[in-house]
């Protein structure tokens, strides 16, 4: 049986407490299931922002997409998670990643280990949280084999970034098949999430590809438009695409950025 659709919206900037709380209420009213904040230097501090959003809302869940696990000691992170979950009435979901921006590590005066070491540390943090905060769902997002193996073994939600897999005719199917093999008996209980990076915001049906291009700078516009992370066409077209993603791949949880929220809310209404 298909899992229920869920939809998240990412908030990347805070201008004031009033704007944040109004945004959170508006996203809740628009049908989004989760409000997410990132974890980058220069972006909002995740936990204070989520607590403020929780105080202004009643049903929308609160999440991180995603915490840089290498920025945190597990016990201290577990403390922040416990209190944020408490203050949100049990609405917290924790998204984790291995970190990838060297400049942010340097600005934080932290070493920047090789990718394999960062992923090992991500697994360490994840297993600690699963033991000490077992009631809080964990999402791990990424694309590479090592990271998706950790996600498949330990996470509740797999965040698929929509990046291409070299040589795969259907990159999304290839990555999901990889997760299925790594997860074994856990797979059917996992929720699959896809980050949508481009959505039409006017009547043209043509999305702005600038964000998508940041993650795949060598691809042509035609190739970017063909990636699963890009939605095109009318509201009905986009809704049909997401129905097909759920039917074909089992992906039922989709995340967009705040800039796309108004347009995407119409897609949510079509799917509900």
């Amino acid at each position: 049986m298909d899992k229920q659709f869920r939809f998240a919206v990412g908030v990347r900037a805070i201008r004031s407490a009033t704007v944040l709380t109004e945004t959170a209420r508006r996203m809740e009213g628009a049908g989004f299931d989760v409000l997410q904040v990132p974890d980058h230097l220069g972006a909002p501090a995740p936990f204070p922002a989520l607590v403020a959003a929780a105080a202004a809302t009643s049903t929308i869940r609160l999440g991180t997409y995603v915490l840089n696990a290498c920025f945190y000691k597990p016990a201290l992170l577990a403390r922040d998670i416990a209190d944020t979950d408490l203050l949100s009435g049990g609405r917290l979901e924790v998204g984790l990643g291995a970190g990838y921006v060297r400049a942010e590590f340097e600005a934080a005066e932290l070493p920047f280990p090789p990718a394999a070491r960062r992923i090992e540390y991500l697994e360490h943090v994840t297993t600690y949280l699963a033991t000490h905060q077992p009631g809080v769902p964990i999402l791990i997002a990424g694309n590479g084999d090592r990271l998706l193996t950790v996600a498949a073994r330990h996470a509740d939600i797999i965040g698929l970034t929509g990046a291409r897999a070299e040589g795969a005719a259907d990159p999304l199917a290839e990555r999901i098949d990889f997760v299925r093999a790594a997860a074994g008996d856990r797979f059917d209980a996992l929720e699959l999430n896809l980050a949508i990076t481009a959505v039409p915001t006017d009547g043209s049906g043509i999305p702005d590809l600038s964000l998508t291009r940041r993650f795949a700078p060598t691809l042509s516009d035609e190739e970017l438009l063909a990636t699963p992370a890009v939605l095109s066409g009318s509201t009905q077209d986009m809704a049909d695409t997401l129905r097909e993603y759920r039917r074909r791949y089992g992906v039922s949880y989709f995340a967009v950025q705040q800039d796309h929220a108004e347009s995407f809310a119409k897609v949510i209404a079509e799917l509900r």
Side-chain angles (χ1 to χ4, degrees):
M1 183 179 294
D2 289 336
K3 291 183 170 67
Q4 287 189 343
F5 281 118
R6 290 208 303 151
F7 305 101
V9 57
V11 176
R12 304 185 66 86
I14 296 175
R15 294 195 297 274
S16 70
T18 299
V19 171
L20 173 61
T21 55
E22 289 176 350
T23 297
R25 292 190 190 104
R26 189 169 65 254
M27 296 302 103
E28 184 175 64
F32 286 96
D33 300 285
V34 188
L35 185 144
Q36 298 173 330
V37 294
D39 186 25
H40 293 289
L41 295 183
F47 293 114
L50 293 177
V51 169
T57 57
S58 58
T59 60
I60 196 168
R61 295 182 67 80
L62 297 313
T64 56
Y65 195 97
V66 287
L67 294 179
N68 180 347
C70 296
F71 280 180
Y72 302 92
K73 295 296 184 183
L76 300 178
L77 179 57
R79 179 184 63 178
D80 287 349
I81 287 170
D83 285 344
T84 302
D85 190 50
L86 175 68
L87 294 171
S88 68
R91 288 186 276 153
L92 183 63
E93 299 181 0
V94 176
L96 296 170
Y100 63 93
V101 183
R102 176 188 289 270
E104 292 188 4
F105 282 78
E106 293 172 350
E109 300 184 20
L110 293 170
F112 184 66
R117 293 289 302 279
R118 300 198 307 274
I119 293 170
E120 286 175 7
Y121 190 75
L122 167 65
E123 184 168 25
H124 170 59
V125 171
T126 303
T127 55
Y128 185 96
L129 295 179
T131 299
H132 291 83
Q133 296 296 325
V136 178
I138 293 176
L139 176 151
I140 294 179
N143 189 64
D145 288 359
R146 288 176 174 173
L147 190 144
L148 287 179
T149 296
V150 171
R153 292 174 178 172
H154 301 290
D156 304 293
I157 307 163
I158 310 297
L160 301 158
T161 60
R164 294 170 67 89
E166 286 298 326
D170 187 336
L172 185 57
E174 189 276 335
R175 290 290 78 190
I176 292 170
D177 286 344
F178 182 89
V179 169
R180 181 183 288 107
D185 293 342
R186 300 185 77 241
F187 183 78
D188 288 343
L190 298 177
E191 185 177 33
L192 301 181
N193 164 280
L194 180 64
I196 302 295
T197 58
V199 173
T201 56
D202 55 27
S204 70
I206 301 172
D208 177 357
L209 297 172
S210 57
L211 178 60
T212 312
R213 188 172 286 109
R214 284 171 49 189
F215 299 102
T218 64
L219 299 186
S220 67
D221 283 2
E222 183 179 20
E223 289 172 318
L224 290 175
L225 287 166
T227 62
V230 174
L231 297 180
S232 303
S234 67
T235 296
Q236 183 65 57
D237 292 334
M238 291 187 280
D240 288 344
T241 296
L242 298 189
R243 289 190 186 100
E244 181 64 9
Y245 285 174
R246 184 173 67 170
R247 185 197 68 80
R248 182 186 299 182
Y249 304 114
V251 179
S252 58
Y253 180 12
F254 300 92
V256 300
Q257 294 301 312
Q258 186 178 347
D259 291 347
H260 303 145
E262 184 176 349
S263 297
F264 195 75
K266 299 173 185 176
V267 180
I268 295 175
E270 189 70 31
L271 292 169
R272 292 253 161 91

